[in-house]
Amino acid sequence: MRFSAAIFASVAFAARPFDNEPDTGIDAVLGGFAANKTLPPLTAIQGLPDFDWAAREYLPAANYTYYRNGAAGEWSYRNNLEVFQRFRLRPRVLKDITKVESSFATSILGYNFSVPFFISPCARGANGHPDGEWNLVKGAAKGNILYMPSLYASKPWASIYDQRNSTSQVLFQQVYLDDPSANSTKALFKQIEAAGAKAIILTVDSPGDGVRHRAARYGAGSANTGLSYFTWEYFQELQSYTKLPIIPKGIQTVEDAREAIKYGAKAIFLSNHGGRQLDTSPSSLEVALEIYNEDPSIFKEVEVYADGGVRYGIDVLKLLALGVKAVGVGRPFMYANAFGVDGVVKAIDILKYELLNDAANLGVGNLKTIGPEFVNWKSTNMWFP
Ligand SMILES: Cc1cc2nc3c(=O)[nH]c(=O)nc-3n(C[C@H](O)[C@H](O)[C@H](O)COP(=O)(O)O)c2cc1C
Ligand SMILES: *[C@@H]1O[C@H](CO)[C@@H](O)[C@H](O)[C@H]1NC(C)=O
Ligand SMILES: *[C@@H]1O[C@H](CO)[C@@H](O)[C@H](O)[C@H]1NC(C)=O
Ligand SMILES: *[C@@H]1O[C@H](CO)[C@@H](O)[C@H](O)[C@H]1NC(C)=O
Ligand SMILES: *[C@@H]1O[C@H](CO)[C@@H](O)[C@H](O)[C@H]1NC(C)=O
Ligand SMILES: *[C@@H]1O[C@H](CO)[C@@H](O)[C@H](O)[C@H]1NC(C)=O
């Protein structure tokens, strides 16, 4: 029994124990696979947290740890997961929800996808499977969702574009500007345009190296190290280097959401890097709530994306309810990739299934019209009395 009274009693202390995934019986039912370090059949996977469990039991510890780790004491990592549980839904009943699935299709920067969730950029895809990012691009095509390859992919990142099902499959390319000189940045942007990316995701939340205790312990440090040069003025200048829209990823305050718009961003991406960069930085749900409370027109002025800790259909719904246009998922796809392309597709299918049934049970007949009234935004704050 994982959630014992002792765990609840320890809530008052700073170092309360943390269960990586909720106890839904997975150890009891699939423990045999953990014992012999094999992957269970995909049919036994019931939810996104199951992929975490399977990857942990199956992958070499350093491989898994690189995906799993968060910054320092991992408080932001945990908060990203737990924050969704602190806000109660306000389900409406006896609503016609029979057509909700037909409202899932959405556009992201004008490109059409089957659902408002996508694969966030994560480095080192080959830590989960020898084919690395190639599985993610193929899975994204099968599920008709957006994938954002990371600059620090295991596969040469341009080769990822060769794995598209056709040149019409849309990918947004994530970049760091470790060498911020204008010439090398221009050269990088040219390569990205030539590869066929439709937008540049510029990660702005990592000017320093992530302080990562767990990763350091397993020798699985960050793919992006060192101090990088970033100012809003430079962000504005960068936009003259390319025809592609540049979307800042890692907006964590309402002030920076406003700055991004002022300096020309057509979309913004709320993220604390999966809690891997700055411990106690806010989850994107908290940032979305801050924007909603203090400057809600931002959601109408630009497209707003958000990621971090999304593991269930209801998590997606809570972000959409505040005005977020599309929601990113990182680790679950990296863990699912241990099963190859089929695992990636299964992860997409699970989240689509949950989105459908959670929306129905919430009384949402049209995903496009979901609003903040479906959530009680007064936090129950249950974990931190
Ligand atoms: C293993 C791993 C590698 C990552 N690498 C990058 C990266 O190269 N660039 C980037 O902008 N974000 C990176 N991220 C952050 C993700 O894009 C995303 O913000 C985060 O994973 C979302 O949280 P989640 O994993 O809880 O879904 C990485 C995350 C993980 C887990
Ligand atoms: C590992 O354990 C599972 C579940 O007990 C079993 O089905 C499978 O055959 C085992 N695999 C190996 C290689 O022993
Ligand atoms: C995207 O979807 C919209 C609305 O469903 C449609 O009008 C448009 O033609 C689609 N665009 C493309 C490129 O398929
Ligand atoms: C572990 O990661 C290394 C480096 O990315 C990779 O070569 C290896 O195949 C991975 N192991 C598994 C089981 O995926
Ligand atoms: C490629 O994938 C997209 C998205 O799933 C789909 O709409 C399209 O039909 C596919 N194209 C080919 C050539 O298979
Ligand atoms: C940048 O590129 C331009 C044009 O190719 C060249 O004239 C200039 O010397 C380069 N600057 C640096 C610092 O390399």
Side-chain angles (χ1 to χ4, degrees):
M1 167 120 175
R2 288 188 151 208
F3 278 110
S4 65
I7 289 176
F8 285 109
S10 69
V11 161
F13 304 102
R16 73 184 159 78
F18 175 75
D19 282 317
N20 202 59
E21 62 273 328
D23 176 12
T24 56
I26 194 165
D27 285 314
V29 177
L30 301 180
F33 295 99
N36 62 22
K37 291 209 145 289
T38 54
L39 288 170
L42 261 179
T43 49
I45 297 292
Q46 308 299 346
L48 295 189
D50 294 8
F51 285 115
D52 188 337
W53 181 93
R56 185 173 68 246
E57 304 300 348
Y58 167 72
L59 291 176
N63 289 38
Y64 170 77
T65 302
Y66 176 67
Y67 290 162
R68 161 60 182 79
N69 89 91
E74 304 190 327
W75 303 107
S76 281
Y77 167 81
R78 300 178 186 194
N79 183 57
N80 282 359
L81 295 164
E82 293 174 346
V83 69
F84 293 104
Q85 279 67 259
R86 293 212 299 273
F87 298 96
R88 293 285 162 268
L89 294 169
R90 301 186 66 249
R92 298 302 306 274
V93 299
L94 302 187
K95 299 282 182 187
D96 179 4
I97 47 74
T98 53
K99 295 193 185 67
V100 65
E101 197 167 13
S102 64
S103 67
F104 281 10
T106 195
S107 70
I108 303 177
L109 281 180
Y111 299 102
N112 290 348
F113 298 98
S114 65
V115 279
F117 64 80
F118 59 86
I119 306 179
S120 281
C122 294
R124 295 187 189 159
N127 269 26
H129 190 283
D131 287 345
E133 292 79 9
W134 297 345
N135 293 335
L136 294 161
V137 69
K138 288 176 187 166
K142 286 179 194 278
N144 191 8
I145 68 168
L146 172 63
Y147 170 40
M148 301 178 178
S150 162
L151 185 67
Y152 294 130
S154 300
K155 298 295 177 191
W157 63 261
S159 79
I160 298 166
Y161 288 76
D162 296 336
Q163 300 295 322
R164 287 174 297 170
N165 73 350
S166 76
T167 52
S168 61
Q169 184 181 348
V170 173
L171 305 178
F172 293 177
Q173 178 62 45
Q174 182 271 337
V175 297
Y176 293 108
L177 299 184
D178 284 346
D179 172 2
S181 71
N183 279 10
S184 56
T185 301
K186 284 176 189 167
L188 177 65
F189 286 2
K190 283 229 152 41
Q191 285 177 283
I192 289 171
E193 287 176 11
K198 295 292 192 272
I200 293 172
I201 305 291
L202 177 65
T203 303
V204 295
D205 61 17
S206 313
D209 195 4
V211 174
R212 298 180 183 175
H213 297 179
R214 182 189 298 270
R217 208 177 307 289
Y218 287 86
S222 175
N224 173 56
T225 57
L227 298 178
S228 40
Y229 167 74
F230 268 125
T231 63
W232 282 117
E233 288 74 19
Y234 191 50
F235 173 76
Q236 189 167 40
E237 186 185 328
L238 288 177
Q239 293 169 73
S240 69
Y241 297 177
T242 175
K243 289 187 209 60
L244 300 177
I246 303 180
I247 301 160
K249 172 174 181 282
I251 300 296
Q252 296 162 80
T253 58
V254 64
E255 290 92 335
D256 278 341
R258 190 40 76 199
E259 290 282 86
I261 295 171
K262 180 175 149 195
Y263 286 98
K266 300 281 178 291
I268 60 173
F269 194 151
L270 315 180
S271 178
N272 67 355
H273 213 110
R276 298 163 74 83
Q277 263 332 100
L278 180 64
D279 207 5
T280 74
S281 57
S283 74
S284 66
L285 186 74
E286 290 163 319
V287 179
L289 193 54
E290 180 176 300
I291 294 173
Y292 171 74
N293 285 329
E294 297 182 26
D295 199 352
S297 71
I298 285 174
F299 289 113
K300 304 220 158 51
E301 293 171 48
V302 290
E303 292 188 357
V304 178
Y305 318 133
D307 75 9
V310 172
R311 300 293 181 269
Y312 304 98
I314 45 170
D315 303 345
V316 176
L317 291 172
K318 283 176 181 168
L319 285 162
L320 296 181
L322 285 170
V324 168
K325 176 88 174 161
V327 172
V329 178
R331 291 180 185 84
F333 281 112
M334 306 309 276
Y335 300 140
N337 193 19
F339 294 83
V341 180
D342 291 347
V344 177
V345 172
K346 171 99 186 194
I348 296 169
D349 288 345
I350 285 174
L351 205 49
K352 283 183 178 175
Y353 167 84
E354 293 190 6
L355 199 55
L356 173 61
N357 290 290
D358 290 344
N361 288 319
L362 187 55
V364 176
N366 178 350
L367 209 53
K368 303 277 191 311
T369 62
I370 189 174
E373 68 278 7
F374 282 99
V375 182
N376 178 355
W377 293 110
K378 223 178 110 209
S379 168
T380 60
N381 224 8
M382 62 184 284
W383 296 112
F384 303 105

